[in-house]
Amino acid sequence: MVHKEVIQKMIKFSSENNFEKFLKNVKVILANNGKCSAEMKIENDHANSFGTLHGGLTATLVDVISSYALLTHPKFVQKLNTCPYGGVSVDIHISYLRSAKIGEEILIEANTIKAGKTLAFLETVILNKNTKDILAKGSHTKFISTA
Amino acid sequence: MVHKEVIQKMIKFSSENNFEKFLKNVKVILANNGKCSAEMKIENDHANSFGTLHGGLTATLVDVISSYALLTHPKFVQKLNTCPYGGVSVDIHISYLRSAKIGEEILIEANTIKAGKTLAFLETVILNKNTKDILAKGSHTKFISTA
Amino acid sequence: MVHKEVIQKMIKFSSENNFEKFLKNVKVILANNGKCSAEMKIENDHANSFGTLHGGLTATLVDVISSYALLTHPKFVQKLNTCPYGGVSVDIHISYLRSAKIGEEILIEANTIKAGKTLAFLETVILNKNTKDILAKGSHTKFISTA
Amino acid sequence: MVHKEVIQKMIKFSSENNFEKFLKNVKVILANNGKCSAEMKIENDHANSFGTLHGGLTATLVDVISSYALLTHPKFVQKLNTCPYGGVSVDIHISYLRSAKIGEEILIEANTIKAGKTLAFLETVILNKNTKDILAKGSHTKFISTA
C-alpha cells in the first residue's frame, strides 16, 4: 500500500474507536516524505456553539495530521505498515487567524521540519480550501526516542 | 442560579449539540471570579490509540474550561445568564508533561490572569485527580473586544 | 529611500540607544511587502556560556525582525518613513531545533502571515547561512490597533 | 556557598562575558529546590525605542532565570558548584500582558514544574515589583538528557 492509503486506514481505525471519531470524514490527499495533507468539510460535530470550527478541533488536527506526517518521514516510514510509532507530544502551539463556518471545506497541511535523535519538530497550516486563506498555524514538538 | 450551575448547563447544552460531545461527563466544581475548575474521568472517547488521554482533547479542555473561567470574570459575569460572550482564541500553547490512562480521573483548573480591554490571558493546569501530578499546562490568549 | 535602507537605519538607531545593541551588525537583505530578511555573524556578544547562539537572542531576533517585516506590510508601509508603528507583542513562541556557534553566520527570515484590524500574525525562520539548516522557528502575534 | 550566591556568581560571570551583559544588575533573591527569583531595575539597556522593557529581554529573562531555577532542582543541584548543566531549550512561549517603563523595578519568579528523565518543564512570571501586576508569563521546555 502507498503511504497515503496506510494513513487513511489508520484514520479509519481511530475514528471508529476513540477520540478521533470526528476525523471519520478526513480525506488524506498526500502522505509522504515527512509531509501529510488532508481535507475535511466542517460539520456540526466539528463546531462550537457559534457554528464555527472549534478551536479544540483545530488543535486536534494540528496534533493528529502532523503526527501522521512524521510517520511518513524516512526515519519512521519503514515501520509504517507494521508498528507505527510517532512519539509523544511535548509542546503544541497554535495561532488562530480566521474562523471557518459549518459547511466550509478546509485543508490541513503538515510538515516535518526536523526529526532528530530524540525530538521531532512539526508544523501545520490549516487553510480554507477555496480561498486558501490561512485559518490557523500550529507547531508541534514531539519526543521520539525509542531507546 | 450560581455560576457553577450556569456553566454546567452550558456544558450540557454544548455536549448535546456540537464538537463538545466528549465533555458530557465534565463536572464543574467551581466557577467564579475568573476561575473555573472541573473534573472528568478519562473514557474511551477521550483517548488515542494507545489508550491514553488524547493530546487534542487536552488542548480542547484548555480551550473550553479557560473560556468558561473568563465568562465568570467580573468583566463578563453580568452577561453570563443572558448573552455570554468570551471572545475568540488568538493563541493557545500547551506543554504535555505526563500521560493519563483510560479510567483515571483528571482535574482541570483554569484561571483568568488578565482581562484587558481587548485581550484576555488565561491559564489552565490539568492534573491527575488522585496524585495531583501535573499532566499538562496551557496558556490561552483571547480577543475579547465587543466594540 | 527604499524600505531596506529605512529598516537598516532604524536598526542602526536602535543599536546605538537601547537593548538592541547586539543588532549593530545585522545586515538587512530584504524588506518589502510584509517580509524582512537579514543576516548576522554570531559573535561573543550573541552567545551563552557554551559559546553558542543565546536562546534569548534568538527570541529577540524573532521579535525584532518580524516586527520590521510588519512595518513593510502594505497596511503600515506608508508610515515607515515618518511615524512607524508596529504594535505590541501579545504572544511569542519559539522552537529551538539546532544550535549555532560563535563565528557562524545566520539568516533571519520573517514574514507577515496576516495583518488584520487589530492583530497581526508573523512568523520567522532562523537558518544557518551556509547549510540552510533551520536553527529556530518563531511565531509572533502583535496587537496593532491604532484606534 | 548557598545556591543563591552560586547563581549570583554565575550571573556575574556571564554578564562580563557574553550576551547576558544586560543581566549585570540582576539581583538573585532566592535560588533553591527548583525555584529562582530575582529582581532588576529596567534601564535604558533593557528597553526598546518606546522606552519600555524590550520583549526580547523579557524572553531572555524567561530563558535564563528558569534555567537557573532548574540548576537548583534536586536532580541537578549536586553539580551546581562544579559542573552545572541545565540542558538546551526546546520550546519557549511567552505571553505579554503589560508593558513596563525605564526606571520601574521587576520581579522574575521561575519554577521547575517537572524535571523528568529527558525533559524539564519550567515556568516564569515577571511582575512589576511594586504593583505586583503580571507583566509576562513564560513557559520553557528543556532537553536535559546527559546520557
Side-chain angles (χ1 to χ4, degrees):
Chain A
M1 269 197 291
V2 294
H3 305 331
K4 187 176 134 179
E5 286 164 13
V6 181
I7 301 291
Q8 188 71 62
K9 206 173 148 187
M10 290 169 73
I11 289 176
K12 188 176 185 312
F13 177 80
S14 284
S15 69
E16 284 167 358
N17 286 282
N18 58 45
F19 178 60
E20 295 181 18
K21 269 169 193 169
F22 59 83
L23 290 180
K24 66 178 185 294
N25 293 325
V26 166
K27 188 182 159 197
V28 180
I29 300 169
L30 175 156
N32 203 20
N33 205 27
K35 292 182 197 295
C36 182
S37 295
E39 60 182 30
M40 189 188 89
K41 187 173 178 178
I42 303 172
E43 296 173 63
N44 194 54
D45 275 7
H46 306 127
N48 53 33
S49 307
F50 305 100
T52 61
L53 183 61
H54 195 295
L57 178 50
T58 302
T60 307
L61 289 168
V62 165
D63 177 4
V64 171
I65 304 299
S66 68
S67 293
Y68 284 132
L70 182 60
L71 291 182
T72 71
H73 187 273
K75 186 165 186 152
F76 291 95
V77 75
Q78 71 278 11
K79 295 185 185 172
L80 186 59
N81 286 284
T82 51
C83 175
Y85 173 76
V88 293
S89 294
V90 176
D91 279 277
I92 286 183
H93 175 260
I94 298 134
S95 291
Y96 295 87
L97 283 75
R98 292 176 183 86
S99 65
K101 291 176 191 165
I102 293 175
E104 293 184 342
E105 289 186 285
I106 60 172
L107 283 175
I108 309 109
E109 302 182 341
N111 187 25
T112 305
I113 305 299
K114 183 190 174 188
K117 231 187 316 185
T118 48
L119 292 168
F121 297 87
L122 313 158
E123 65 177 1
T124 305
V125 187
I126 299 181
L127 311 101
N128 180 304
K129 192 185 165 189
N130 292 323
T131 64
K132 297 291 184 296
D133 280 338
I134 296 178
L135 307 177
K137 294 212 67 170
S139 67
H140 186 191
T141 305
K142 297 193 87 171
F143 179 69
I144 54 174
S145 174
T146 57
Chain B
M1 270 197 292
V2 294
H3 305 330
K4 187 177 135 179
E5 286 165 14
V6 180
I7 300 292
Q8 188 72 62
K9 207 174 147 187
M10 290 170 72
I11 289 177
K12 186 176 185 313
F13 176 81
S14 284
S15 69
E16 284 167 358
N17 287 282
N18 59 45
F19 179 60
E20 295 182 18
K21 269 172 191 164
F22 56 82
L23 290 181
K24 66 178 184 292
N25 293 324
V26 166
K27 189 183 158 196
V28 181
I29 301 168
L30 173 156
N32 203 20
N33 204 25
K35 293 181 196 296
C36 183
S37 295
E39 58 182 32
M40 190 188 87
K41 187 173 179 177
I42 303 172
E43 296 174 62
N44 195 52
D45 275 7
H46 307 128
N48 53 33
S49 306
F50 304 100
T52 60
L53 182 61
H54 195 294
L57 179 51
T58 303
T60 307
L61 289 168
V62 165
D63 178 4
V64 172
I65 304 300
S66 68
S67 293
Y68 284 132
L70 182 60
L71 291 183
T72 71
H73 187 273
K75 186 167 185 149
F76 290 95
V77 76
Q78 73 277 14
K79 295 185 185 172
L80 185 58
N81 286 284
T82 52
C83 175
Y85 173 77
V88 294
S89 294
V90 176
D91 278 277
I92 286 183
H93 175 261
I94 298 135
S95 292
Y96 295 87
L97 282 76
R98 293 176 183 87
S99 65
K101 291 176 192 164
I102 292 175
E104 293 182 343
E105 289 186 285
I106 60 173
L107 283 176
I108 309 110
E109 302 182 342
N111 187 24
T112 305
I113 306 299
K114 183 191 173 189
K117 234 189 312 186
T118 49
L119 293 167
F121 297 87
L122 313 158
E123 66 177 1
T124 305
V125 188
I126 300 180
L127 311 102
N128 180 304
K129 191 185 165 187
N130 291 323
T131 65
K132 297 291 183 296
D133 280 336
I134 296 178
L135 307 177
K137 292 212 65 170
S139 67
H140 186 192
T141 306
K142 298 194 86 171
F143 179 69
I144 55 173
S145 174
T146 56
Chain C
M1 268 197 293
V2 294
H3 305 330
K4 186 176 138 179
E5 285 164 15
V6 180
I7 301 290
Q8 187 73 62
K9 207 174 148 188
M10 289 171 72
I11 289 177
K12 187 176 185 312
F13 177 81
S14 284
S15 68
E16 283 167 356
N17 287 282
N18 58 45
F19 177 60
E20 295 180 18
K21 271 171 189 164
F22 58 82
L23 290 181
K24 66 177 185 292
N25 292 326
V26 166
K27 188 184 158 197
V28 180
I29 301 168
L30 174 156
N32 204 17
N33 204 25
K35 293 181 196 296
C36 183
S37 295
E39 59 182 32
M40 191 189 86
K41 187 174 179 177
I42 302 172
E43 296 174 63
N44 195 54
D45 276 8
H46 306 128
N48 53 34
S49 306
F50 304 100
T52 59
L53 182 61
H54 196 294
L57 179 49
T58 303
T60 307
L61 289 168
V62 165
D63 177 5
V64 172
I65 305 301
S66 69
S67 293
Y68 284 132
L70 181 60
L71 291 183
T72 72
H73 186 274
K75 186 166 183 150
F76 291 94
V77 76
Q78 72 277 15
K79 295 185 184 171
L80 185 59
N81 287 283
T82 52
C83 176
Y85 172 77
V88 295
S89 295
V90 176
D91 279 276
I92 286 183
H93 175 259
I94 298 133
S95 291
Y96 295 87
L97 284 74
R98 294 176 182 87
S99 65
K101 291 177 191 164
I102 292 175
E104 293 182 343
E105 289 186 284
I106 59 172
L107 283 176
I108 309 108
E109 302 182 342
N111 186 24
T112 305
I113 306 299
K114 182 189 174 190
K117 232 185 319 182
T118 49
L119 293 167
F121 297 87
L122 313 158
E123 67 177 1
T124 305
V125 187
I126 300 181
L127 311 102
N128 180 304
K129 192 187 164 185
N130 292 323
T131 64
K132 298 291 184 294
D133 280 338
I134 296 178
L135 307 176
K137 294 211 66 170
S139 67
H140 185 191
T141 305
K142 298 193 87 171
F143 179 69
I144 55 174
S145 173
T146 56
Chain D
M1 268 198 293
V2 294
H3 305 330
K4 185 176 137 179
E5 286 164 13
V6 181
I7 301 290
Q8 188 71 63
K9 207 174 148 187
M10 290 170 73
I11 289 177
K12 187 176 185 314
F13 177 81
S14 284
S15 68
E16 284 167 357
N17 286 283
N18 58 44
F19 179 61
E20 296 181 18
K21 267 170 193 165
F22 57 83
L23 291 181
K24 67 178 184 295
N25 293 324
V26 166
K27 188 183 159 196
V28 180
I29 300 168
L30 173 156
N32 203 20
N33 204 27
K35 293 181 195 296
C36 183
S37 295
E39 60 182 32
M40 189 187 88
K41 188 175 178 177
I42 302 172
E43 295 174 63
N44 195 52
D45 276 8
H46 307 128
N48 54 32
S49 306
F50 304 99
T52 59
L53 183 61
H54 196 294
L57 179 49
T58 303
T60 308
L61 289 168
V62 165
D63 177 5
V64 171
I65 304 299
S66 67
S67 293
Y68 285 132
L70 182 60
L71 291 182
T72 72
H73 187 273
K75 185 163 184 154
F76 290 95
V77 75
Q78 71 278 14
K79 295 184 184 173
L80 186 60
N81 287 283
T82 52
C83 175
Y85 173 76
V88 294
S89 294
V90 176
D91 279 277
I92 287 182
H93 175 260
I94 299 134
S95 291
Y96 295 88
L97 282 75
R98 293 176 183 87
S99 66
K101 291 177 191 165
I102 293 174
E104 293 182 343
E105 289 186 283
I106 60 172
L107 283 176
I108 310 107
E109 303 181 341
N111 187 24
T112 305
I113 305 298
K114 183 189 173 189
K117 234 188 313 187
T118 49
L119 293 167
F121 297 87
L122 313 158
E123 66 177 1
T124 305
V125 187
I126 300 181
L127 311 102
N128 180 303
K129 192 186 164 187
N130 292 322
T131 65
K132 298 292 185 294
D133 280 337
I134 296 177
L135 307 177
K137 293 211 67 171
S139 66
H140 185 192
T141 306
K142 299 194 85 171
F143 179 69
I144 55 175
S145 175
T146 57

